[in-house]
Amino acid sequence: MENLFHRTSVRKYLDKPVEKKKILQILRAAMAAPSACNQQPWRFTVVMDRALIARLAATSPYATFAAEAPVLLVISYRKDCQLPEFAPVDTSAALENLWIETDALGLGGVWMGVYPRQERMDKVAETAGLPQEEEAFALYALGYPAGEIKPHDRFHEEWIRWK
């Protein structure tokens, strides 16, 4: 469970490519997530093209730093799944798995929200060229961290109720 507590947002990356084997391992972890009725609505677009990464980073004022990431994942979900109202929840679980595996492999990343802002969802979908049946959910910058990762303790016992 060490990676659960070590995982943090990483926004600065070394100018070093991420190996395809590691990207596939990260996506394998994502796809191991639970989903409503096992619908597995998530889809992943791996972007390594510098120009496309820059265009995607410009789709949100909170994603500009991602232009420097060696890999940018566009995470989307199928609109035509069995329980579409649960697709964003399912995709969140996949993204958390992805992030924990990123840390386990010595990489760093950060989740940039696109959903539920429809204007951002549309802009990312158009820029990434997503199929019509998919809805953009998030961007995820990925790379080797430039600098030490300093996780934060986010435990607040006062937020727990015992009955």
Side-chain angles (χ1 to χ4, degrees):
M1 290 192 30
E2 183 178 327
N3 296 108
L4 284 172
F5 301 110
H6 188 261
R7 183 224 50 85
T8 191
S9 296
V10 174
R11 292 179 175 85
K12 292 185 187 282
Y13 309 95
L14 298 176
D15 185 18
K16 177 180 176 180
V18 178
E19 300 86 344
K20 182 178 179 180
K21 181 179 177 179
K22 288 188 176 182
I23 296 169
L24 289 173
Q25 180 61 29
I26 288 165
L27 296 175
R28 179 179 298 279
M31 293 181 201
S35 62
C37 293
N38 197 32
Q39 66 181 349
Q40 303 175 37
W42 44 71
R43 295 294 182 266
F44 305 92
T45 303
V46 179
V47 182
M48 299 170 87
D49 176 86
R50 302 297 321 148
L52 182 53
I53 288 173
R55 289 196 310 275
L56 285 162
T59 61
S60 168
Y62 306 103
T64 56
F65 68 88
E68 302 304 317
V71 179
L72 189 61
L73 301 178
V74 178
I75 294 125
S76 55
Y77 60 83
R78 291 185 357 262
K79 295 187 262 187
D80 62 347
C81 58
Q82 184 178 354
L83 297 167
E85 66 274 24
F86 288 98
V89 177
D90 297 341
T91 306
S92 291
L95 190 40
E96 181 68 10
N97 278 13
L98 182 151
W99 208 347
I100 293 167
E101 186 65 12
T102 294
D103 185 76
L105 294 174
L107 296 162
V110 66
W111 174 346
M112 292 157 283
V114 173
Y115 173 89
R117 302 277 174 91
Q118 194 63 55
E119 69 280 0
R120 286 187 197 160
M121 294 166 70
D122 293 344
K123 202 169 186 181
V124 168
E126 180 183 340
T127 305
L130 295 182
Q132 181 107 26
E133 66 274 6
E134 291 180 27
E135 194 80 85
F137 179 74
L139 297 172
Y140 184 82
L142 173 66
Y144 284 93
E148 183 184 351
I149 294 176
K150 296 181 180 180
H152 309 283
D153 184 356
R154 296 189 169 121
F155 182 73
H156 297 277
E157 193 166 353
E158 67 274 14
W159 294 357
I160 302 168
R161 284 184 207 85
W162 298 87
K163 296 191 180 205

